[in-house]
């Protein structure tokens, strides 16, 4: 296997971005290289076909999982986590296809996750050095408010609980019972961090510059945000009842 690092990129209609993001990740230094798994939910715009074209160039580092129709962000990542665990990757990353997450930050996330006791490193917009670019003020206030709300309800020590640019250590994912992860949308990101914290792993935040997408359409919706709003209460109560650990 070329790398101990795997970047999972879930896609639905990302034809404008997918080739560029794949090439940017694969171009990173050989000292800290990354394989890629694209999990595509039946994109009608040809996203999966473009990945298949690129696989002819780099079949040993680029992989594709095709699913029938939109099944949710959370299920895409969990399918990717299981795939990664079967292949002995040590560090598994979540990253968007639209360049809102800078591929050059991947080595920094990897380094943070390699620290003793750390199970998750988070590309954070809301720690010192973190930034937001091209976001409207309404969305900034909503995002900051959501992270504050999550911390208030769950007591989880992380400033950017909704962040989707994340590195998970294999040790954490191997202990996690994926069947206990309830949420599929925005709340999925919160619950994964909460599960790591509940299982005794440290959460390490790494400052990043988050840039709003320039190509393609956002997948955010009111329903997804609502799931997160009510979901944190479910997580808090769940913490008193049972663990996220495999039995």
């Amino acid at each position: 296997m070329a790398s101990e690092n795997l970047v999972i990129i879930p896609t639905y209609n990302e034809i404008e971005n997918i080739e560029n993001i794949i090439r940017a990740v694969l171009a990173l230094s050989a000292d800290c290289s990354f394989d890629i798994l694209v999990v595509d939910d039946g994109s009608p715009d040809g996203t999966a076909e473009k990945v298949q074209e690129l696989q002819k160039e780099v079949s040993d580092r680029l992989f594709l999982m095709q699913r029938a129709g939109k099944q949710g962000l959370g299920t895409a990542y969990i399918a990717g986590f299981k795939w990664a665990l079967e292949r002995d990757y040590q560090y598994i990353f979540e990253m968007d296809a639209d360049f809102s997450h800078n591929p050059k930050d991947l080595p920094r996330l990897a380094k943070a996750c390699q620290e003793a006791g750390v199970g998750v490193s988070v590309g954070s917009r809301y720690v010192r050095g973190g930034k937001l670019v091209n976001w409207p003020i309404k969305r900034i206030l909503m995002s900051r408010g959501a992270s504050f709300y999550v911390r208030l309800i769950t007591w989880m020590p992380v400033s950017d609980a909704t962040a989707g640019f994340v590195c998970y250590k294999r040790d954490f994912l191997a202990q996690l019972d994926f069947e206990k992860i309830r949420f599929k949308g925005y709340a999925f990101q919160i619950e994964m961090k909460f599960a790591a914290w509940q299982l005794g792993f440290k959460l390490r935040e790494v400052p990043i510059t988050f840039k709003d997408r320039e190509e393609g359409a956002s997948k955010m919706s009111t329903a997804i945000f609502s799931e997160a709003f009510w979901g944190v209460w479910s997580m808090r109560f769940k913490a008193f009842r049972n663990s996220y650990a495999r039995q």
Side-chain angles (χ1 to χ4, degrees):
M1 186 170 59
S3 174
E4 64 177 4
N5 305 309
L6 179 72
V7 179
I8 302 172
I9 304 177
T11 56
Y12 183 78
N13 287 348
E14 291 289 355
I15 192 64
E16 299 96 341
N17 298 302
I18 193 62
E19 179 173 0
N20 290 336
I21 196 71
I22 286 171
R23 292 192 183 280
V25 172
L26 295 180
L28 293 170
S29 169
D31 294 334
C32 190
S33 65
F34 299 82
D35 292 350
I36 301 171
L37 172 65
V38 175
V39 183
D40 186 72
D41 275 4
S43 298
D45 69 348
T47 298
E49 289 76 9
K50 174 55 69 174
V51 175
Q52 290 170 334
E53 285 181 27
L54 295 171
Q55 283 183 304
K56 296 174 183 177
E57 300 179 30
V58 285
S59 60
D60 60 330
R61 296 184 59 195
L62 176 60
F63 307 94
L64 173 65
M65 180 185 298
Q66 293 180 271
R67 308 197 306 167
K70 295 181 72 173
Q71 300 177 44
L73 180 73
T75 65
Y77 275 129
I78 287 175
F81 296 155
K82 292 177 179 178
W83 190 94
L85 290 175
E86 290 171 357
R87 288 158 181 81
D88 204 34
Y89 286 96
Q90 298 303 306
Y91 301 94
I92 298 93
F93 299 75
E94 296 180 355
M95 191 175 75
D96 292 345
D98 60 10
F99 283 93
S100 56
H101 304 143
N102 188 340
K104 293 180 180 179
D105 288 326
L106 285 167
R108 296 170 58 232
L109 286 178
K111 184 177 180 180
C113 210
Q114 290 165 6
E115 295 179 26
V118 174
V120 181
S121 60
V122 180
S124 180
R125 300 161 288 186
Y126 304 136
V127 292
R128 183 181 295 276
K131 297 178 182 178
L132 284 164
V133 177
N134 295 338
W135 260 24
I137 188 65
K138 182 178 179 180
R139 193 170 176 188
I140 292 173
L141 292 174
M142 183 181 293
S143 177
R144 281 189 172 274
S147 288
F148 176 77
Y149 173 75
V150 169
R151 189 162 185 165
L152 182 67
I153 302 303
T154 65
W155 307 344
M156 183 169 55
V158 59
S159 298
D160 197 350
T162 63
F165 193 20
V166 183
C167 173
Y168 298 103
K169 188 174 286 183
R170 179 186 180 86
D171 292 351
F172 160 54
L173 293 180
Q175 291 185 34
L176 179 62
D177 185 345
F178 295 118
E179 298 301 319
K180 293 179 180 177
I181 299 295
R182 171 183 173 188
F183 299 104
K184 296 181 180 180
Y186 202 51
F188 170 81
Q189 302 293 4
I190 304 169
E191 190 172 18
M192 285 295 294
K193 299 175 186 70
F194 187 72
W197 183 54
Q198 287 290 301
L199 291 175
F201 289 93
K202 297 177 184 177
L203 305 173
R204 182 74 72 236
E205 293 189 83
V206 176
I208 64 162
T209 296
F210 181 97
K211 183 181 179 182
D212 199 14
R213 69 161 59 230
E214 295 180 357
E215 302 289 346
S218 172
K219 312 303 190 295
M220 180 56 66
S221 69
T222 302
I224 290 173
F225 188 81
S226 178
E227 177 193 65
F229 183 86
W230 296 110
V232 292
W233 286 101
S234 173
M235 293 174 214
R236 191 73 191 102
F237 291 134
K238 186 175 183 177
F240 293 115
R241 296 195 305 270
N242 58 14
S243 168
Y244 282 95
R246 294 176 186 266
Q247 300 302 316

